[in-house]
Amino acid sequence: MLINEKIKASEVELIGIDGEDMGIMSTKEALKIAKELKVDLICLSLTSSPPPCQLMPRQTAQKKQAKEKQALNKQEKGPKTKEIRVSATIEQHDYETKKRQAEKILRGGDWVQINVRLQRKESDAAKRIVAEFVQDLSHCAEKEKGIQTSGKQVSVVLKPC
């Protein structure tokens, strides 16, 4: 981020404190205006000519840059898969709570893996519960793959649609 005297361009496209366009002017004039208003002249992009510069306090520019960097990092990493565990003998109230949790996670942009732990011969009940989750969350999610039974659990991965 280029600030004040570090801007080497002879002319800049100046944007005021409130976002109003102040036109193209020399860098010296823009710096003079910035000093009068007791703010900094911050270069927003070096790719265009003349470069767009905005009048704003340095702290505001640093916070804005940090937020953009954080959003870019989150976008790079991609969605997380969060696991929700339930038993095959789950009661209706607990089911509703887990469903709300899954919906909240999906609306946040992350994926949800629903695991139903098996204890005896409960595989039919577990498949029914997983299918019910898929059906109840179909308005905000879709299956990544089918319902999978492996060993002592039945699971499904849901991604936001």
Side-chain angles (χ1 to χ4, degrees):
M1 173 171 38
L2 296 178
I3 299 175
N4 296 334
E5 285 79 23
K6 291 183 182 177
I7 300 171
K8 300 294 181 192
S10 58
E11 288 185 332
V12 295
E13 183 180 338
L14 190 61
I15 301 167
I17 295 174
D18 298 322
E20 70 275 5
D21 186 23
M22 297 177 74
I24 296 172
M25 61 179 65
S26 73
T27 307
K28 288 181 181 180
E29 272 185 69
L31 283 169
K32 192 175 179 183
I33 293 171
K35 284 182 182 175
E36 287 173 7
L37 296 173
K38 296 183 180 168
V39 292
D40 294 301
L41 181 65
I42 296 165
C43 185
L44 301 176
S45 172
L46 296 172
T47 57
S48 60
S49 181
C53 295
Q54 186 170 6
L55 298 172
M56 68 171 81
R58 186 174 300 205
Q59 292 82 5
T60 307
Q62 288 171 340
K63 285 179 187 176
K64 190 176 176 183
Q65 187 181 26
K67 278 187 183 180
E68 288 172 1
K69 188 175 181 182
Q70 189 176 25
L72 189 65
N73 285 344
K74 187 173 183 178
Q75 199 175 40
E76 260 181 30
K77 287 181 184 175
K80 293 179 184 175
T81 302
K82 299 192 178 182
E83 181 182 14
I84 293 181
R85 293 182 187 171
V86 296
S87 69
T89 57
I90 189 170
E91 293 187 17
Q92 189 61 33
H93 176 272
D94 295 332
Y95 172 81
E96 293 295 326
T97 302
K98 295 291 186 179
K99 185 178 81 171
R100 276 195 311 274
Q101 284 178 342
E103 201 170 335
K104 184 178 177 184
I105 293 167
L106 289 164
R107 292 228 166 106
D110 292 327
W111 294 20
V112 175
Q113 179 176 1
I114 298 171
N115 288 335
V116 180
R117 299 282 175 163
L118 299 177
Q119 290 174 343
R120 298 167 220 107
K121 298 282 182 186
E122 302 171 329
S123 64
D124 292 336
K127 286 180 184 176
R128 202 169 31 254
I129 288 171
V130 170
E132 194 175 337
F133 265 109
V134 171
Q135 184 180 5
D136 288 347
L137 295 171
S138 64
H139 67 280
C140 65
E142 55 189 39
K143 287 191 286 188
E144 174 64 18
K145 298 178 186 169
I147 296 172
Q148 299 173 341
T149 306
S150 61
K152 295 187 176 185
Q153 72 180 14
V154 176
S155 64
V156 67
V157 177
L158 301 173
K159 63 180 181 178
C161 46

